[in-house]
Amino acid sequence: MTDARPSILFVCVHNAGRSQMAAGFARALGGDRVQVLSAGSEPADSINPVAVEAMAEVGIDITGTRPRVLAVNDVRTSDAVVTMGCGDACPVFPGKRYEDWELTDPAGLPLEAVRPVRDEIRARVEHLLADLIG
């Protein structure tokens, strides 16, 4: 790869809530300074509508994204891999930065319960971006 930008992969089981919100924040806050991927070990058919609504409240539109299955190459080509509840489904490659974020799964939760999850994700993404791109 000739692209010098750091690449972040966000992974959760269904790729419908937490990882999509994290990817949305990383794209919005990191802009063209970072590459962002998200995937799931068992992707859902669509994005969690409450996650979409929670992100819209902070001005980030994730309606154009779709859950996708985790590919080994996604992990191989990423500088940082952030997992959120997918356990051992994510392959491990030496030399990669791995973080496991323990976050409440927003699936089936009302908007009031998703907001704190969204805010925690934002704080963690901000910290990760500060480490990767300054």
Side-chain angles (χ1 to χ4, degrees), residues 9-56:
L9 170 63
F10 296 101
V11 184
C12 67
V13 176
H14 300 296
N15 192 219
R18 295 167 291 184
S19 58
Q20 292 287 353
M21 289 191 286
F25 278 123
R27 287 182 185 108
L29 300 171
D32 62 2
R33 298 173 297 159
V34 67
Q35 297 176 71
V36 179
L37 299 169
S38 72
S41 54
E42 298 174 22
D45 293 329
S46 61
I47 301 288
N48 179 340
V50 179
V52 171
E53 186 178 357
M55 293 300 285

Side-chain angles (χ1 to χ4, degrees), residues 11 81-87 98-103 124:
V11 184
V81 179
V82 178
T83 58
M84 303 171 208
C86 67
Y98 289 91
E99 293 187 18
D100 184 45
W101 294 354
E102 292 187 25
L103 298 162
R124 290 178 185 230

